[in-house]
Amino acid sequence: MSAAEVAEPDVQMDDKANQDAHGKAPPRKRRRIVISCTECHRRKQKCDRQMPCTNCVSRNKESACHYETGTPLAKPNRKDSSQSGNDRSPESIESIPIKNADFGYSSNSVSTLGILRKIEDEGELLPGMTSENFDGGNFGMRERYKTLVRLLPARSYVEKLADIYFRDVNWQYFSIDEPVFRSLMEQWYSVPFNVLTTTGPQALDPMLRPFPSLMFQMLASSLLYLPEGTEEIFESLKYTSNMTFEDLAFDYSESGVSILSLLGKRQMSIITVLAGWVRAAFLKYTGMVTEAWHQVGTSIRDAQEIGLHRDQMDPQPSPEDSTEEALEKMWMAQSRRRVWMTLLGWDLHTGAVLGRPTSVDYRLVNRTPPVDSIIPKDRRKSPIIPRGENDPPTPLTKAMWSWEVMKPLREILDLEKEGPFPKDFSKVEKIHKELLDLQARTPPPFRLENPDTRFDDLPECRWLPFVRPTLPQLISFNIMALHRPYVFTRATSRHEALKASIEMLEAQKLYYSVLKPQQHKTFTLFFGTFDAIIMIASIYILFPREHAELLPTVRQHFEWAIERFETMAIRNRLAKAALGVLHAIYIRFKKAVGFGFTTKSISDVGCSSTSGYGLTSSSSDMQTPNSLSEPASQNQSNPSTVPTTTERGGSVSSGTGLTPASGTDNNVFASADWSFPTDFDFSSIMPMYPLGDIAYNDLTAIPGGDGPPTTWPETFPGTTGVGNGLSTSVPAGSVGEEQPAAWQFGGEFGNDTLWNILNQFPTY
């Protein structure tokens, strides 16, 4: 036997002797009594032992809230009992513990914080960790919540501003049910004062708890839409002499943000998501596009936290429900689907406009869309009935069609990742045909041409004239965004992008004519004009011999756009910031095509453009103009044609941006002092996101200074030499005369952007 084998019986005998000496077996682990409800115990969450508990109410599981230990009793407040004999400093009273979910982790995520919460539920609280239960009874939270709520104006003002919101704002996206809002407002103003004083927000329903935040955001938006002649009614809401309604609106909006921040990310409801989304709409309306984009992402994450993206999380009628309760749950499911659809549309469209990644891909989530039905005043007594073709359209009809129009942007953004030469260009042609089919399927009441106007006189359809210019503009923007990566390398894409941009400007002119001055802050009124103008100007500046027949129309829209921006600049921050950019690019546009805007036919300028989207275009249509591979019918000895070489020959998809010639003999520009450098590659120019450059890169244009440089920088990615740069000579006849101011584009843009190229073209 080994020494270990001999020693093992001795150890067992010693243990038995110790057990006999003490006279009892080793103590067993005491089984904990389950005092939480069955649902909270199963989900391993802290239960407040209400009937039903707050967690079950927030998850619409009231019927499943049961207790194994009988009637629930309120738990003692351990914080109060542990500190009853101690003096608490003001700092400890006012400090609110940071919730774990505030760090961006979901309560059901398999992460370090999630594991710690599970450990927390099995025993005592871990040092530095807060319980899963919403701690609304904290004295500091109660006082801060009351302080913020006190900032709400009197109920009479709230009701008047809410009327303005539902009349002038809500129809645009239709995410807030007016009957639900009115019901919640009635409940809010019925809450006894002692509830907020003694218990705090913990005593409120999860739908009612963030409701003041939603009211603040709606009031802020309404103050920006005040109709003419109503300013005096709300003048008493200002608390300083020189305060504007916009200042007051920002105050209200920030108060709403403070309430959401105070409540944290625990036990959120759809009201929390709506408050965040209305905040995003307010930011976008006031020109804070970057902040609005971030807020949309936050609202989407909050919506995912409460399951708005999943059908399984929608309230489901049960056999025990009465008819009214079942109808209420069915309508609540419709509201959840509508809010999720709105968030997806905003996320997708904002990403396409700003050139930013989206927060979620709707194709990965199989979510049932809402039903196009008329929203009743009393949802507990009306079933969900789909709207018929002969029924008046509703704001929900408009919202659902807007989402249908924006869905192709997902595939368009995916194609942009492949650069100016996609592997399969047939995808572009396929999406373009789908967009044209979508345009043909526009519902008759929403058509811009020959619309169905029989519902225009109905009070509930007063918003229809405002919608007709905006919905066709969405499809035109999709076409422009589809061809945006290829406008510098493909003649047909330039033609289609140019047509779509002109259609956008036509819609913008009509939209501007029906708006009132106080509505000039509208975001759609800005981006639809600015993006279209920059697209048109860039095409004519870099390819001035194309589309000469459209020059008079383009020039007229250019001047109208500048006039609109000059008028809007008083109220619209974005228009004020972009006005200088429009002036600077308009000067270059006129110089590129000639001040006389001489109209020439397409055959005269040596470019091949089509009146429609050619699915069987020739190779010359897939390249930049001035290529050696031109149509046989074109006179190759035409002096207006600039010969170039193709670096990447072969198929259409593998074509490249061609190199224009330099020099005055073959210069494509009307101005003799403009020319491209040798071996310039158009494919090196990044796609344009004008609004993104305004919002993120601080794009500006300032007159004056020493003028732009007269040679191309050696670091420009599209050049291999600078021997044939811009001419340094002053235009003939200008010696001794006063020169126009030199407009330069400024901002944090790279060398491969359109703005850097335009800076190489002098304006004097």
Side-chain angles (χ1 to χ4, degrees):
M1 276 188 167
S2 64
E5 292 173 341
V6 174
E8 185 176 353
D10 296 338
V11 174
Q12 295 176 353
M13 293 177 64
D14 292 340
D15 293 340
K16 186 175 182 181
N18 292 336
Q19 180 177 338
D20 294 337
H22 290 84
K24 60 180 180 179
R28 296 181 180 180
K29 183 178 180 181
R30 182 173 62 88
R31 183 179 180 274
R32 296 183 64 194
I33 299 176
V34 178
I35 61 174
S36 302
C37 74
T38 54
E39 280 295 301
C40 289
H41 180 66
R42 181 178 63 84
R43 297 174 62 91
K44 299 189 182 301
Q45 289 183 317
K46 287 291 183 180
C47 182
D48 58 5
R49 293 189 55 75
Q50 302 293 326
M51 191 63 188
C53 73
T54 307
N55 289 333
C56 291
V57 172
S58 64
R59 295 194 305 272
N60 298 311
K61 297 288 186 180
E62 297 92 334
S63 59
C65 186
H66 302 289
Y67 293 86
E68 295 180 354
T69 57
T71 305
L73 298 175
K75 297 184 296 183
N77 192 329
R78 287 183 292 181
K79 293 185 178 181
D80 294 342
S81 61
S82 62
Q83 298 183 8
S84 58
N86 300 329
D87 294 331
R88 301 173 64 186
S89 63
E91 291 80 5
S92 64
I93 293 177
E94 294 296 331
S95 62
I96 304 300
I98 300 176
K99 307 295 185 185
N100 302 333
D102 290 348
F103 292 102
Y105 294 94
S106 174
S107 59
N108 57 357
S109 62
V110 183
S111 61
T112 302
L113 287 177
I115 295 173
L116 290 176
R117 291 193 189 101
K118 293 180 180 180
I119 299 174
E120 169 190 320
D121 285 338
E122 295 298 330
E124 295 297 324
L125 292 176
L126 298 178
M129 296 289 291
T130 58
S131 64
E132 181 71 18
N133 188 37
F134 173 77
D135 187 13
N138 179 280
F139 178 78
M141 173 174 284
R142 293 202 308 269
E143 292 304 311
R144 290 178 61 183
Y145 189 79
K146 286 170 51 182
T147 300
L148 292 170
V149 168
R150 290 192 190 104
L151 299 178
L152 281 170
R155 181 175 181 177
S156 59
Y157 291 110
V158 173
E159 291 178 343
K160 292 177 182 177
L161 290 173
D163 291 340
I164 294 175
Y165 185 89
F166 286 110
R167 184 182 66 247
D168 298 333
V169 183
N170 193 54
W171 63 264
Q172 300 179 24
Y173 305 103
F174 200 63
S175 291
I176 302 177
D177 289 338
E178 184 173 0
V180 175
F181 177 85
R182 301 290 185 184
S183 174
L184 288 174
M185 186 166 65
E186 189 66 32
Q187 294 179 41
W188 171 258
Y189 286 108
S190 300
V191 173
F193 175 74
N194 63 327
V195 172
L196 297 179
T197 304
T198 58
T199 311
Q202 168 72 10
L204 301 177
D205 182 270
M207 290 277 286
L208 203 59
R209 197 178 297 148
F211 185 69
S213 177
L214 177 60
M215 285 196 292
F216 271 125
Q217 301 299 346
M218 292 175 60
L219 298 183
S221 298
S222 299
L223 287 173
L224 301 179
Y225 275 88
L226 288 181
E228 294 182 0
T230 61
E231 293 85 355
E232 294 183 1
I233 300 176
F234 305 99
E235 194 70 28
S236 59
L237 297 179
K238 302 177 183 178
Y239 52 86
T240 60
S241 59
N242 60 345
M243 192 178 195
T244 64
F245 284 113
E246 185 171 349
D247 297 331
L248 184 60
F250 271 102
D251 272 3
Y252 284 164
S253 183
E254 291 299 326
S255 298
V257 172
S258 299
I259 290 177
L260 290 185
S261 177
L262 177 66
L263 297 177
K265 301 296 185 181
R266 308 295 177 84
Q267 300 182 359
M268 294 185 297
S269 66
I270 192 173
I271 300 299
T272 307
V273 178
L274 285 174
W277 175 79
V278 179
R279 162 73 173 180
F282 172 81
L283 292 172
K284 191 160 75 166
Y285 191 72
T286 54
M288 305 176 69
V289 183
T290 304
E291 294 80 0
W293 179 68
H294 285 286
Q295 182 60 54
V296 170
T298 300
S299 298
I300 289 177
R301 290 188 291 273
D302 292 344
Q304 291 173 321
E305 182 71 17
I306 64 174
L308 287 188
H309 63 302
R310 300 176 60 188
D311 287 352
Q312 301 90 321
M313 299 297 292
D314 287 341
Q316 303 294 334
S318 62
E320 295 80 12
D321 292 336
S322 64
T323 302
E324 293 185 349
E325 293 173 342
L327 289 174
E328 179 68 24
K329 289 184 177 180
M330 294 170 64
W331 280 111
M332 177 55 69
Q334 292 296 312
S335 298
R336 290 166 57 90
R337 296 171 185 176
R338 189 167 65 251
V339 172
W340 179 248
M341 180 186 69
T342 302
L343 292 174
L344 287 181
W346 271 54
D347 181 50
L348 191 55
H349 190 262
T350 306
V353 172
L354 299 180
R356 296 284 164 170
T358 58
S359 299
V360 65
D361 187 346
Y362 75 90
R363 297 171 300 185
L364 304 178
V365 181
N366 188 18
R367 186 68 161 111
T368 303
V371 178
D372 183 10
S373 60
I374 299 177
I375 307 298
K377 294 183 179 180
D378 189 353
R379 306 193 306 181
R380 300 172 64 90
K381 297 181 180 180
S382 301
I384 300 175
I385 302 176
R387 188 186 65 88
E389 293 183 358
N390 295 322
D391 293 331
T394 67
L396 177 57
T397 310
K398 179 258 182 186
M400 295 183 64
W401 178 248
S402 298
W403 168 236
E404 193 69 24
V405 169
M406 288 186 283
K407 285 166 67 175
L409 285 173
R410 180 70 270 166
E411 295 183 18
I412 293 174
L413 294 179
D414 291 343
L415 273 175
E416 283 190 354
K417 300 176 183 177
E418 300 183 22
F421 304 107
K423 184 177 181 180
D424 184 6
F425 209 92
S426 63
K427 294 181 181 178
V428 179
E429 299 167 352
K430 176 177 176 293
I431 296 176
H432 188 97
K433 290 184 63 177
E434 292 175 352
L435 292 175
L436 294 181
D437 293 341
L438 195 65
Q439 193 173 36
R441 291 190 290 110
T442 301
F446 301 152
R447 286 198 301 253
L448 191 57
E449 297 181 1
N450 301 320
D452 181 1
T453 59
R454 53 181 169 157
F455 305 113
D456 287 17
D457 295 333
L458 298 178
E460 62 270 22
C461 295
R462 60 184 178 276
W463 46 270
L464 270 177
F466 299 94
V467 166
R468 293 194 180 106
T470 58
L471 289 179
Q473 175 187 296
L474 290 177
I475 300 180
S476 298
F477 172 77
N478 289 358
I479 296 176
M480 186 186 74
L482 173 64
H483 295 279
R484 180 169 50 193
Y486 322 113
V487 293
F488 301 124
T489 58
R490 190 171 184 268
T492 306
S493 288
R494 284 195 294 277
H495 181 71
E496 295 299 337
L498 183 63
K499 288 199 307 179
S501 299
I502 293 176
E503 291 173 357
M504 289 178 65
L505 292 177
E506 289 283 356
Q508 286 285 286
K509 181 170 68 72
L510 295 176
Y511 188 43
Y512 181 83
S513 64
V514 299
L515 292 180
K516 299 178 181 179
Q518 64 267 23
Q519 297 173 318
H520 286 173
K521 291 178 179 289
T522 304
F523 174 79
T524 305
L525 190 60
F526 169 80
F527 104 87
T529 296
F530 188 62
D531 282 33
I533 282 292
I534 299 303
M535 174 62 72
I536 291 174
S538 64
I539 291 175
Y540 273 106
I541 291 174
L542 299 183
F543 307 95
R545 298 192 180 187
E546 294 182 10
H547 312 103
E549 76 282 1
L550 296 176
L551 272 177
T553 301
V554 169
R555 179 185 182 183
Q556 183 65 74
H557 277 296
F558 224 131
E559 294 176 351
W560 282 340
I562 293 177
E563 291 177 1
R564 289 200 299 267
F565 272 43
E566 288 176 345
T567 304
M568 292 161 52
I570 303 174
R571 296 177 173 87
N572 194 308
R573 295 183 180 182
L574 291 174
K576 183 177 181 180
L579 189 58
V581 177
L582 286 187
H583 281 297
I585 204 169
Y586 186 46
I587 293 175
R588 288 172 170 83
F589 165 74
K590 291 190 297 184
K591 191 169 184 179
V593 300
F595 288 96
F597 295 93
T598 303
T599 303
K600 299 180 181 180
S601 64
I602 291 296
S603 59
D604 293 337
V605 298
C607 96
S608 177
S609 298
T610 59
S611 59
Y613 191 86
L615 297 180
T616 58
S617 301
S618 63
S619 61
S620 62
D621 287 334
M622 305 302 182
Q623 301 168 343
T624 53
N626 312 321
S627 169
L628 289 178
S629 56
E630 296 173 349
S633 61
Q634 183 175 330
N635 183 7
Q636 297 192 14
S637 62
N638 191 333
S640 65
T641 302
V642 182
T644 56
T645 58
T646 304
E647 299 177 1
R648 304 187 195 106
S651 66
V652 170
S653 299
S654 62
T656 183
L658 303 179
T659 307
S662 301
T664 57
D665 294 337
N666 292 321
N667 196 356
V668 297
F669 298 108
S671 178
D673 60 334
W674 281 15
S675 63
F676 284 110
T678 306
D679 301 327
F680 181 80
D681 185 5
F682 280 101
S683 64
S684 62
I685 307 176
M686 294 294 294
M688 296 175 294
Y689 301 98
L691 181 54
D693 291 326
I694 289 281
Y696 286 94
N697 299 327
D698 299 324
L699 175 65
T700 56
I702 304 175
D706 298 330
T710 56
T711 58
W712 290 73
E714 297 181 3
T715 57
F716 191 84
T719 60
T720 58
V722 293
N724 292 325
L726 291 173
S727 171
T728 59
S729 61
V730 179
S734 59
V735 178
E737 298 179 2
E738 183 179 356
Q739 299 297 322
W743 287 79
Q744 278 285 76
F745 297 102
E748 300 177 359
F749 46 79
N751 287 335
D752 55 353
T753 60
L754 172 71
W755 312 113
N756 186 50
I757 295 177
L758 297 182
N759 273 343
Q760 314 311 315
F761 296 156
T763 58
Y764 51 87

